[in-house]
Amino acid sequence: MIIQSLKLKNFRNYELLNLEFHPVTNIFHGDNAQGKTNILEAVYLAGTTKSHRGTKDRDMISFGKEESHIEVEVLKNGVPFRIDIHLKKNSPKGAAINRMPVKRASELFGIINLVFFSPEDLNIIKDGPAQRRRFMDLELSQLDKIYLNNLADYNRVVNQRNRLLKEMAFQDNLRDTLDIWDLQLIRYGELVMEGRRKFIREINEIVGEIHEKLTGGKERLVMEYEPSTGEMSLEEAVKKNRERDIRMKSTSAGPHRDDICFRIHDMDIRKFGSQGQQRTAALSLKLAEIEIVKRVIHDTPVLLLDDVLSELDKHRQNYLLDSIHDIQTLITCTGVEEFVNHRFSINKVFLVQNGHVTNEN
């Protein structure tokens, strides 16, 4: 899979931008706050409909403008695709595939398979459960349209149920309708949970081996899916927590409260691991993510590396660079020295300065 080109209009600090990428390594360097990450953000948005930063659509539109346009051309298994995204300040985003508008932006998922790696991802082990759920959901949504639909339905049901729980405080007769939402919560929730269990089983086969190599055979990483229901089924948990939910006006059990546990030698490194262990585990997880995408789609994803090398020691830098030589990579950094020192093959270099990009080749 290759991203061939990117065009931006009124996106972040880019009034107009037209880039053509190399099929392997593309490096964007320059000082901080010049717009390097904005390029990766635009590519990620075209593939997932969302910003990796969690930014609202209106905030990605250039200051003083009403709308923004992103165009990405992709070659997937020899088939060309063009993806267009229109961001508007006062209305939902629009999207098109090969110039044909799509009704739901989620239809874009799976055309471009992306793995995004930023310094924030190195904290996924020590951060809260929301980050780890987001990791599962974003990867599964790119790989499995059925999971994406089940997750959307589940989130819709949770929101509706929470709204009902709040309204019940003023209209007790609404209690009779809670059963309907409970049934849907259980139905879609169980499907989401099964998708996550399968994903963790599959990625576990990969991540342990990668982590073992990264640590010179000293450690093996094991991931465990931790549903919020514990040993109970979702149906049992929903029934048990019903009165509590009514009292708290919120849904307390379900996939929206799940987590992933990371263990080394039976130790939960979320709580007891050193920073080095947590960062190595995060790197292992990202490399395993690349590998699982390869296995599922029988192609390579596009890797977006956002100033990660500066956060890794030499050993981890070398392992990462050695692992990505065969896939298209878009890399941001402040300087290209670490790549030169590593003798890393650099195919195309861009200098980014205040919203202007210069091809240095």
Side-chain angles (χ1 to χ4, degrees), residues 47-49 95 102-110 141 145 148-149 152:
T48 67
T49 77
V102 295
K103 291 182 180 178
R104 299 173 65 180
S106 59
E107 292 178 48
L108 294 174
F109 272 84
S141 294
K145 283 281 181 73
L148 174 62
N149 291 332

Side-chain angles (χ1 to χ4, degrees), residues 41 64 133:
E41 180 180 39
R133 286 193 298 272

Side-chain angles (χ1 to χ4, degrees), residues 275-301:
Q275 186 183 55
Q277 283 178 314
Q278 290 174 341
R279 288 192 156 207
T280 304
L283 177 56
S284 300
L285 183 62
K286 277 295 167 185
L287 293 172
E289 189 181 347
I290 294 169
E291 189 57 37
I292 201 167
V293 174
K294 287 181 182 178
R295 292 186 184 187
V296 172
I297 69 171
H298 307 293
D299 197 357
T300 54

Side-chain angles (χ1 to χ4, degrees), residues 129-146:
Q131 286 297 100
R132 294 184 282 275
R133 286 193 298 272
R134 186 172 182 268
F135 160 74
M136 285 191 287
D137 289 341
L138 282 172
E139 194 50 61
L140 273 166
S141 294
Q142 289 191 68
L143 297 174
D144 187 347
K145 283 281 181 73
I146 295 173

Side-chain angles (χ1 to χ4, degrees), residues 135 200 203-204 207 221-225 260-262 285:
F135 160 74
I200 295 299
I203 203 167
N204 234 335
V207 75
L221 181 66
V222 176
M223 295 170 62
E224 297 171 1
Y225 176 50
I260 310 171
C261 180
F262 294 84
L285 183 62

Side-chain angles (χ1 to χ4, degrees), residues 196-207:
R196 289 177 177 177
R197 283 193 188 95
K198 182 172 179 284
F199 176 69
I200 295 299
R201 280 198 303 270
E202 290 173 351
I203 203 167
N204 234 335
E205 296 172 9
I206 303 166
V207 75

